[in-house]
Amino acid sequence: MTVIRNFDTWKKFLGERVVQAEKMGMSEDTIANLAYEIGDFLDTKVDPQNSSNRALKELWEVGNKEERRTIARLMVKLAKKNV
């Protein structure tokens, strides 16, 4: 997963996927739910490759379910901004 080694590349990649999902008709809530699931997967399966991703992982780990959902929604917003 070389795309996650550079945080700017990661944001752009995510942003492109968000735009594609919107074009396919996915709602903002559906996209946010997918982002939450991806965040959970990354937390358990991927070792962060840079300090930005490490900080996100640490925030994810200390957050409760609601806070993690907020992080996921914010990542979707951030990603869209970077397309």
Coordinates of all heavy atoms in Angstrom, one line a residue:
M1 N 0.8 -1.2 0.0 CA 0.0 0.0 0.0 C 0.9 1.3 0.0 O 0.9 2.0 1.0 CB -0.9 0.0 1.2 CG -1.9 -1.1 1.2 SD -3.2 -0.9 2.5 CE -4.4 -0.1 1.5
T2 N 1.6 1.5 -1.1 CA 2.5 2.6 -1.2 C 1.8 3.9 -1.1 O 2.4 4.9 -0.8 CB 3.4 2.5 -2.4 OG1 2.5 2.5 -3.6 CG2 4.2 1.3 -2.4
V3 N 0.5 4.0 -1.5 CA -0.2 5.2 -1.5 C -0.3 5.9 -0.1 O -0.5 7.1 0.1 CB -1.6 5.1 -2.1 CG1 -2.6 4.3 -1.2 CG2 -2.2 6.4 -2.5
I4 N -0.3 5.0 1.0 CA -0.4 5.6 2.3 C 0.9 6.0 2.9 O 1.0 6.5 4.1 CB -1.1 4.6 3.3 CG1 -0.4 3.3 3.4 CG2 -2.5 4.4 2.8 CD1 -1.0 2.4 4.4
R5 N 2.0 5.9 2.2 CA 3.3 6.3 2.7 C 3.4 7.9 2.8 O 4.1 8.4 3.7 CB 4.4 5.7 1.9 CG 4.6 4.3 2.2 CD 5.8 3.7 1.6 NE 5.8 2.3 1.8 CZ 6.6 1.4 1.3 NH1 7.5 1.8 0.5 NH2 6.5 0.2 1.6
N6 N 2.8 8.5 1.9 CA 2.9 10.0 1.8 C 1.5 10.5 2.1 O 0.5 10.2 1.4 CB 3.4 10.5 0.4 CG 3.4 11.9 0.3 OD1 2.4 12.6 0.2 ND2 4.6 12.5 0.3
F7 N 1.4 11.4 3.1 CA 0.0 11.8 3.6 C -0.7 12.6 2.5 O -1.9 12.5 2.3 CB 0.2 12.6 4.9 CG -1.2 12.9 5.5 CD1 -1.9 11.8 6.0 CD2 -1.6 14.2 5.7 CE1 -3.1 12.1 6.6 CE2 -2.9 14.4 6.3 CZ -3.6 13.3 6.8
D8 N 0.0 13.5 1.8 CA -0.6 14.3 0.7 C -1.1 13.4 -0.4 O -2.2 13.6 -0.9 CB 0.4 15.3 0.1 CG 0.6 16.4 1.1 OD1 -0.3 16.8 1.9 OD2 1.7 17.0 1.1
T9 N -0.4 12.3 -0.7 CA -0.8 11.4 -1.7 C -2.0 10.6 -1.2 O -3.0 10.4 -2.0 CB 0.3 10.4 -2.1 OG1 1.5 11.1 -2.5 CG2 -0.1 9.4 -3.1
W10 N -2.0 10.3 0.0 CA -3.1 9.6 0.6 C -4.4 10.4 0.6 O -5.5 9.9 0.2 CB -2.8 9.2 2.1 CG -3.8 8.5 2.9 CD1 -4.3 9.0 4.1 CD2 -4.5 7.3 2.6 NE1 -5.3 8.1 4.6 CE2 -5.4 7.1 3.7 CE3 -4.5 6.4 1.6 CZ2 -6.2 6.0 3.7 CZ3 -5.3 5.3 1.6 CH2 -6.2 5.1 2.7
K11 N -4.3 11.7 0.9 CA -5.5 12.6 0.9 C -6.0 12.7 -0.5 O -7.2 12.7 -0.7 CB -5.1 14.0 1.5 CG -4.8 14.0 2.9 CD -4.6 15.4 3.5 CE -3.4 16.0 2.9 NZ -3.0 17.3 3.5
K12 N -5.1 12.9 -1.5 CA -5.6 13.0 -2.9 C -6.3 11.7 -3.3 O -7.3 11.7 -4.0 CB -4.4 13.3 -3.8 CG -4.7 13.5 -5.2 CD -3.5 14.0 -6.0 CE -3.7 14.1 -7.5 NZ -4.9 14.6 -8.0
F13 N -5.7 10.6 -3.0 CA -6.3 9.3 -3.4 C -7.7 9.1 -2.8 O -8.6 8.8 -3.4 CB -5.3 8.1 -2.9 CG -5.9 6.8 -3.0 CD1 -5.9 6.1 -4.2 CD2 -6.5 6.1 -1.9 CE1 -6.4 4.8 -4.4 CE2 -7.0 4.9 -2.1 CZ -7.0 4.2 -3.3
L14 N -7.8 9.5 -1.5 CA -9.1 9.4 -0.8 C -10.1 10.3 -1.4 O -11.2 10.0 -1.7 CB -8.9 9.7 0.7 CG -8.3 8.6 1.6 CD1 -8.2 9.1 3.0 CD2 -9.1 7.3 1.5
G15 N -9.6 11.5 -1.7 CA -10.5 12.5 -2.3 C -11.0 12.1 -3.7 O -12.2 12.3 -4.0
E16 N -10.2 11.5 -4.5 CA -10.6 10.9 -5.8 C -11.7 9.8 -5.6 O -12.7 9.8 -6.3 CB -9.4 10.4 -6.6 CG -8.5 11.5 -7.0 CD -7.2 11.1 -7.6 OE1 -6.9 9.9 -7.5 OE2 -6.4 11.9 -8.1
R17 N -11.5 9.0 -4.6 CA -12.5 7.9 -4.3 C -13.8 8.5 -3.8 O -14.9 8.0 -4.2 CB -11.9 6.9 -3.3 CG -10.6 6.2 -3.6 CD -10.6 5.3 -4.8 NE -10.4 5.9 -6.1 CZ -9.3 6.4 -6.6 NH1 -8.2 6.5 -5.9 NH2 -9.3 6.9 -7.9
V18 N -13.7 9.6 -3.0 CA -15.0 10.2 -2.5 C -15.7 10.8 -3.7 O -17.0 10.6 -3.8 CB -14.6 11.3 -1.5 CG1 -15.9 12.1 -1.2 CG2 -14.1 10.6 -0.2
V19 N -15.0 11.5 -4.6 CA -15.7 12.1 -5.8 C -16.3 11.0 -6.6 O -17.5 11.1 -7.1 CB -14.7 13.0 -6.6 CG1 -15.3 13.4 -7.9 CG2 -14.3 14.2 -5.8
Q20 N -15.6 9.9 -6.8 CA -16.2 8.8 -7.6 C -17.5 8.2 -6.9 O -18.5 8.0 -7.6 CB -15.2 7.6 -7.7 CG -14.1 7.9 -8.7 CD -13.1 6.8 -8.7 OE1 -12.9 6.0 -7.8 NE2 -12.3 6.7 -9.8
A21 N -17.4 8.1 -5.6 CA -18.6 7.6 -4.9 C -19.8 8.5 -5.0 O -20.9 8.1 -5.2 CB -18.2 7.4 -3.4
E22 N -19.5 9.8 -4.9 CA -20.6 10.8 -5.1 C -21.2 10.7 -6.5 O -22.4 10.8 -6.6 CB -20.1 12.2 -4.8 CG -19.8 12.4 -3.3 CD -19.2 13.8 -3.1 OE1 -18.6 14.4 -4.0 OE2 -19.3 14.2 -1.9
K23 N -20.3 10.6 -7.5 CA -20.8 10.5 -8.9 C -21.7 9.2 -9.1 O -22.5 9.2 -9.9 CB -19.7 10.5 -9.8 CG -19.0 11.9 -10.0 CD -17.9 11.8 -11.0 CE -17.3 13.2 -11.1 NZ -16.1 13.3 -12.0
M24 N -21.4 8.2 -8.3 CA -22.2 6.9 -8.4 C -23.5 7.0 -7.6 O -24.3 6.1 -7.6 CB -21.3 5.8 -7.8 CG -20.2 5.4 -8.7 SD -19.1 4.2 -8.0 CE -20.1 2.9 -7.3
G25 N -23.7 8.2 -6.9 CA -24.9 8.4 -6.2 C -24.9 8.0 -4.7 O -25.9 8.0 -4.0
M26 N -23.7 7.8 -4.2 CA -23.6 7.5 -2.7 C -23.9 8.7 -1.9 O -23.4 9.8 -2.2 CB -22.3 6.9 -2.4 CG -22.0 5.5 -2.8 SD -20.5 4.9 -2.1 CE -20.5 3.2 -2.6
S27 N -24.6 8.6 -0.8 CA -24.9 9.7 0.1 C -23.7 10.0 0.9 O -22.8 9.2 1.1 CB -26.1 9.4 1.0 OG -25.7 8.4 1.9
E28 N -23.7 11.2 1.5 CA -22.6 11.6 2.4 C -22.5 10.6 3.6 O -21.4 10.3 4.0 CB -22.9 13.0 2.9 CG -21.8 13.6 3.7 CD -22.0 15.1 4.1 OE1 -22.4 15.8 3.2 OE2 -21.9 15.4 5.3
D29 N -23.7 10.2 4.1 CA -23.7 9.3 5.2 C -23.1 7.9 4.9 O -22.3 7.3 5.6 CB -25.1 9.1 5.8 CG -25.6 10.2 6.6 OD1 -24.8 11.0 7.1 OD2 -26.8 10.3 6.8
T30 N -23.4 7.4 3.7 CA -22.8 6.2 3.2 C -21.3 6.3 3.1 O -20.6 5.4 3.5 CB -23.4 5.7 1.9 OG1 -24.9 5.6 2.1 CG2 -22.8 4.4 1.4
I31 N -20.8 7.4 2.5 CA -19.4 7.6 2.3 C -18.7 7.7 3.7 O -17.7 7.1 3.9 CB -19.1 8.8 1.5 CG1 -19.6 8.6 0.1 CG2 -17.6 9.2 1.5 CD1 -19.7 9.8 -0.8
A32 N -19.3 8.4 4.6 CA -18.8 8.5 6.0 C -18.7 7.1 6.7 O -17.7 6.8 7.4 CB -19.6 9.5 6.8
N33 N -19.7 6.3 6.5 CA -19.7 5.0 7.1 C -18.6 4.1 6.5 O -18.0 3.4 7.2 CB -21.1 4.3 6.9 CG -22.2 4.9 7.8 OD1 -21.9 5.4 8.9 ND2 -23.4 4.8 7.4
L34 N -18.4 4.2 5.2 CA -17.3 3.5 4.6 C -16.0 4.0 5.1 O -15.1 3.2 5.4 CB -17.4 3.6 3.1 CG -18.5 2.9 2.4 CD1 -18.6 3.3 0.9 CD2 -18.3 1.4 2.5
A35 N -15.9 5.3 5.3 CA -14.6 5.9 5.8 C -14.4 5.3 7.2 O -13.2 5.0 7.6 CB -14.7 7.4 5.8
Y36 N -15.4 5.2 8.0 CA -15.3 4.6 9.4 C -14.8 3.2 9.3 O -13.9 2.8 10.0 CB -16.6 4.7 10.1 CG -16.6 4.0 11.4 CD1 -16.2 4.7 12.5 CD2 -17.1 2.7 11.6 CE1 -16.2 4.1 13.8 CE2 -17.1 2.1 12.8 CZ -16.6 2.8 13.9 OH -16.6 2.2 15.1
E37 N -15.4 2.4 8.4 CA -14.9 1.0 8.3 C -13.5 0.9 7.8 O -12.7 0.1 8.3 CB -15.9 0.3 7.3 CG -17.2 0.0 7.8 CD -18.2 -0.6 6.9 OE1 -17.7 -1.3 5.9 OE2 -19.4 -0.5 7.1
I38 N -13.1 1.8 6.9 CA -11.7 1.8 6.4 C -10.8 2.2 7.5 O -9.7 1.6 7.7 CB -11.6 2.7 5.2 CG1 -12.3 2.1 4.0 CG2 -10.1 3.0 4.9 CD1 -12.5 3.1 2.8
G39 N -11.2 3.2 8.3 CA -10.4 3.6 9.5 C -10.2 2.4 10.4 O -9.1 2.2 11.0
D40 N -11.2 1.7 10.7 CA -11.1 0.5 11.6 C -10.2 -0.5 11.0 O -9.3 -1.1 11.7 CB -12.5 -0.1 11.8 CG -13.0 -0.1 13.2 OD1 -12.3 0.6 14.1 OD2 -14.0 -0.7 13.5
F41 N -10.3 -0.8 9.7 CA -9.4 -1.7 9.1 C -7.9 -1.3 9.2 O -7.0 -2.0 9.6 CB -9.8 -1.9 7.6 CG -8.8 -2.7 6.8 CD1 -8.8 -4.1 6.8 CD2 -7.8 -2.1 6.0 CE1 -7.9 -4.8 6.1 CE2 -6.9 -2.8 5.3 CZ -6.9 -4.2 5.4
L42 N -7.7 0.0 8.8 CA -6.3 0.5 8.9 C -5.8 0.5 10.3 O -4.6 0.2 10.5 CB -6.3 2.0 8.3 CG -6.6 2.1 6.8 CD1 -6.6 3.6 6.5 CD2 -5.5 1.4 6.0
D43 N -6.6 0.8 11.3 CA -6.1 0.7 12.6 C -5.6 -0.6 13.1 O -4.6 -0.7 13.7 CB -7.3 1.2 13.6 CG -6.9 1.2 15.0 OD1 -5.8 1.7 15.4 OD2 -7.6 0.6 15.9
T44 N -6.3 -1.7 12.6 CA -5.9 -3.0 13.0 C -4.9 -3.7 12.1 O -4.2 -4.6 12.5 CB -7.2 -3.9 13.2 OG1 -7.8 -4.0 11.9 CG2 -8.1 -3.4 14.2
K45 N -4.8 -3.3 10.8 CA -4.1 -4.1 9.9 C -2.8 -3.3 9.3 O -2.0 -4.0 8.7 CB -5.0 -4.5 8.7 CG -6.2 -5.2 9.1 CD -5.9 -6.6 9.5 CE -7.1 -7.4 9.8 NZ -6.9 -8.6 10.4
V46 N -2.8 -2.0 9.4 CA -1.7 -1.3 8.7 C -0.9 -0.5 9.7 O -1.4 0.3 10.6 CB -2.3 -0.4 7.7 CG1 -1.2 0.5 7.0 CG2 -3.1 -1.2 6.6
D47 N 0.4 -0.6 9.6 CA 1.3 0.2 10.4 C 1.5 1.5 9.7 O 1.9 1.5 8.5 CB 2.7 -0.5 10.6 CG 3.6 0.2 11.5 OD1 3.2 0.8 12.5 OD2 4.8 0.3 11.2
P48 N 1.2 2.7 10.4 CA 1.4 4.0 9.7 C 2.8 4.2 9.2 O 3.8 3.9 9.8 CB 1.1 5.0 10.8 CG 0.2 4.2 11.8 CD 0.8 2.8 11.7
Q49 N 2.9 4.7 8.0 CA 4.1 4.9 7.3 C 4.7 6.3 7.4 O 5.8 6.6 6.9 CB 3.9 4.6 5.8 CG 3.5 3.2 5.5 CD 4.6 2.2 5.9 OE1 5.7 2.3 5.5 NE2 4.2 1.1 6.6
N50 N 4.0 7.2 8.1 CA 4.5 8.6 8.3 C 3.9 9.2 9.6 O 3.0 8.6 10.1 CB 4.2 9.4 7.0 CG 2.7 9.5 6.8 OD1 1.9 9.9 7.6 ND2 2.3 9.2 5.5
S51 N 4.4 10.3 10.0 CA 4.0 10.9 11.2 C 2.5 11.4 11.2 O 1.8 11.3 12.2 CB 4.9 12.0 11.6 OG 4.9 13.0 10.6
S52 N 2.0 11.8 10.1 CA 0.6 12.2 10.0 C -0.3 11.1 10.2 O -1.3 11.2 10.9 CB 0.4 12.9 8.6 OG 1.2 14.0 8.4
N53 N 0.0 10.0 9.5 CA -0.9 8.8 9.7 C -0.7 8.2 11.1 O -1.7 7.7 11.6 CB -0.5 7.7 8.6 CG -1.0 8.1 7.2 OD1 -1.8 9.1 7.1 ND2 -0.6 7.4 6.2
R54 N 0.4 8.3 11.7 CA 0.6 7.8 13.0 C -0.2 8.6 14.0 O -0.9 8.1 14.9 CB 2.1 7.9 13.4 CG 2.4 7.7 14.9 CD 2.5 6.3 15.3 NE 3.3 5.4 14.5 CZ 3.2 4.1 14.3 NH1 2.2 3.5 15.0 NH2 3.9 3.4 13.5
A55 N -0.3 10.0 13.8 CA -1.1 10.8 14.6 C -2.6 10.5 14.5 O -3.3 10.4 15.5 CB -0.9 12.3 14.3
L56 N -3.0 10.2 13.3 CA -4.4 9.8 13.1 C -4.7 8.5 13.8 O -5.8 8.3 14.4 CB -4.7 9.7 11.6 CG -5.0 11.0 10.8 CD1 -5.1 10.7 9.3 CD2 -6.2 11.7 11.3
K57 N -3.8 7.6 13.7 CA -4.0 6.3 14.3 C -4.1 6.4 15.9 O -4.9 5.8 16.5 CB -2.8 5.3 14.0 CG -2.9 3.9 14.7 CD -1.8 3.0 14.3 CE -1.8 1.7 15.0 NZ -3.0 0.9 14.8
E58 N -3.3 7.3 16.4 CA -3.3 7.5 17.9 C -4.6 8.2 18.3 O -5.2 7.8 19.3 CB -2.1 8.3 18.3 CG -0.8 7.6 18.2 CD 0.4 8.4 18.6 OE1 0.3 9.5 19.2 OE2 1.5 7.9 18.3
L59 N -5.1 9.1 17.5 CA -6.4 9.7 17.8 C -7.5 8.7 17.7 O -8.4 8.7 18.5 CB -6.7 10.9 16.8 CG -5.9 12.2 17.0 CD1 -6.1 13.1 15.8 CD2 -6.3 12.8 18.3
W60 N -7.4 7.9 16.6 CA -8.4 6.8 16.4 C -8.5 5.9 17.7 O -9.5 5.5 18.1 CB -8.1 6.0 15.2 CG -9.2 5.1 14.7 CD1 -9.3 3.8 15.0 CD2 -10.3 5.4 13.9 NE1 -10.4 3.2 14.4 CE2 -11.0 4.2 13.7 CE3 -10.7 6.6 13.2 CZ2 -12.2 4.2 12.9 CZ3 -11.8 6.5 12.4 CH2 -12.5 5.3 12.3
E61 N -7.3 5.5 18.1 CA -7.2 4.5 19.2 C -7.8 5.1 20.5 O -8.3 4.3 21.3 CB -5.8 4.1 19.4 CG -5.3 3.2 18.3 CD -3.8 2.8 18.4 OE1 -3.1 3.4 19.1 OE2 -3.5 1.9 17.7
V62 N -7.6 6.4 20.8 CA -8.2 6.9 22.0 C -9.6 7.4 21.9 O -10.3 7.6 23.0 CB -7.3 8.1 22.6 CG1 -5.9 7.7 22.8 CG2 -7.4 9.3 21.6
G63 N -10.1 7.4 20.7 CA -11.5 7.9 20.5 C -12.5 6.8 20.8 O -12.2 5.6 20.5
N64 N -13.7 7.2 21.2 CA -14.8 6.2 21.3 C -15.4 6.1 19.9 O -15.0 6.7 19.0 CB -15.8 6.6 22.4 CG -16.5 7.9 22.1 OD1 -16.7 8.3 21.0 ND2 -16.8 8.6 23.2
K65 N -16.5 5.3 19.8 CA -17.1 5.1 18.5 C -17.6 6.4 17.9 O -17.4 6.6 16.7 CB -18.3 4.1 18.6 CG -18.9 3.6 17.3 CD -19.9 2.5 17.5 CE -20.4 2.0 16.2 NZ -21.2 0.9 16.3
E66 N -18.2 7.2 18.6 CA -18.8 8.5 18.1 C -17.6 9.4 17.6 O -17.7 10.0 16.6 CB -19.6 9.2 19.2 CG -20.2 10.5 18.7 CD -21.0 11.2 19.8 OE1 -21.6 10.5 20.6 OE2 -21.0 12.4 19.8
E67 N -16.6 9.4 18.4 CA -15.4 10.3 18.1 C -14.7 9.7 16.8 O -14.3 10.5 16.0 CB -14.4 10.3 19.2 CG -15.0 11.1 20.4 CD -14.3 10.9 21.7 OE1 -13.7 9.8 21.9 OE2 -14.3 11.8 22.5
R68 N -14.6 8.4 16.7 CA -14.1 7.8 15.5 C -14.9 8.1 14.3 O -14.4 8.4 13.2 CB -13.9 6.3 15.7 CG -12.9 5.9 16.6 CD -12.8 4.4 16.9 NE -11.7 4.1 17.8 CZ -11.3 2.9 18.1 NH1 -12.0 1.8 17.5 NH2 -10.3 2.6 18.9
R69 N -16.2 8.1 14.4 CA -17.1 8.5 13.3 C -16.8 10.0 12.9 O -16.9 10.3 11.7 CB -18.6 8.3 13.6 CG -18.9 6.8 13.7 CD -20.4 6.6 13.6 NE -20.7 5.1 13.7 CZ -20.6 4.3 12.6 NH1 -20.2 4.8 11.5 NH2 -20.9 3.0 12.7
T70 N -16.6 10.8 13.9 CA -16.3 12.2 13.6 C -15.0 12.3 12.8 O -14.8 13.0 11.8 CB -16.2 13.0 14.9 OG1 -17.5 13.0 15.5 CG2 -15.8 14.5 14.6
I71 N -14.0 11.6 13.2 CA -12.7 11.5 12.5 C -12.9 11.1 11.1 O -12.3 11.7 10.2 CB -11.7 10.6 13.3 CG1 -11.3 11.2 14.6 CG2 -10.4 10.4 12.4 CD1 -10.5 10.3 15.5
A72 N -13.7 10.0 10.9 CA -14.0 9.5 9.5 C -14.6 10.6 8.7 O -14.2 10.8 7.5 CB -14.8 8.3 9.6
R73 N -15.6 11.3 9.2 CA -16.3 12.4 8.5 C -15.3 13.5 8.1 O -15.3 14.0 7.0 CB -17.5 12.9 9.3 CG -18.7 12.0 9.3 CD -19.9 12.7 9.9 NE -21.0 11.9 9.8 CZ -21.8 11.8 8.8 NH1 -21.6 12.5 7.7 NH2 -22.9 11.0 8.8
L74 N -14.5 13.9 9.1 CA -13.5 14.9 8.9 C -12.5 14.5 7.8 O -12.1 15.3 7.0 CB -12.8 15.3 10.2 CG -13.6 16.1 11.2 CD1 -12.9 16.2 12.5 CD2 -14.0 17.4 10.6
M75 N -12.1 13.2 7.8 CA -11.2 12.8 6.8 C -11.8 12.8 5.4 O -11.1 13.2 4.4 CB -10.7 11.3 7.1 CG -9.6 11.2 8.1 SD -8.1 12.2 7.6 CE -7.6 11.5 6.1
V76 N -13.1 12.5 5.3 CA -13.8 12.6 4.0 C -13.8 14.1 3.5 O -13.5 14.4 2.4 CB -15.3 12.1 4.1 CG1 -16.1 12.5 2.9 CG2 -15.3 10.6 4.3
K77 N -14.1 15.0 4.4 CA -14.0 16.4 4.1 C -12.6 16.9 3.6 O -12.5 17.6 2.7 CB -14.5 17.3 5.3 CG -16.0 17.3 5.5 CD -16.3 18.2 6.6 CE -17.8 18.3 6.8 NZ -18.2 19.3 7.8
L78 N -11.6 16.5 4.4 CA -10.3 16.8 4.1 C -9.8 16.2 2.7 O -9.2 16.9 1.9 CB -9.3 16.3 5.2 CG -7.8 16.6 5.0 CD1 -7.6 18.1 5.0 CD2 -7.0 15.9 6.1
A79 N -10.2 15.0 2.5 CA -9.9 14.3 1.2 C -10.5 15.1 0.1 O -9.8 15.3 -1.0 CB -10.3 12.9 1.3
K80 N -11.8 15.4 0.2 CA -12.5 16.1 -0.9 C -11.8 17.4 -1.2 O -11.7 17.9 -2.4 CB -13.9 16.4 -0.6 CG -14.8 15.2 -0.9 CD -16.2 15.5 -0.6 CE -16.8 16.5 -1.5 NZ -18.3 16.7 -1.3
K81 N -11.3 18.1 -0.2 CA -10.6 19.4 -0.4 C -9.3 19.2 -1.2 O -8.8 20.2 -1.8 CB -10.4 20.0 1.0 CG -9.7 21.3 1.0 CD -9.5 21.8 2.4 CE -8.6 23.1 2.4 NZ -8.2 23.5 3.7
N82 N -8.7 18.1 -1.2 CA -7.4 17.8 -1.8 C -7.5 17.2 -3.2 O -6.5 16.7 -3.6 CB -6.6 17.0 -0.8 CG -6.1 17.8 0.3 OD1 -5.1 18.5 0.2 ND2 -6.8 17.8 1.4
V83 N -8.6 17.2 -3.8 CA -8.7 16.6 -5.1 C -8.3 17.6 -6.1 O -8.5 18.8 -6.1 CB -10.2 16.2 -5.4 CG1 -10.3 15.7 -6.9 CG2 -10.6 15.1 -4.5

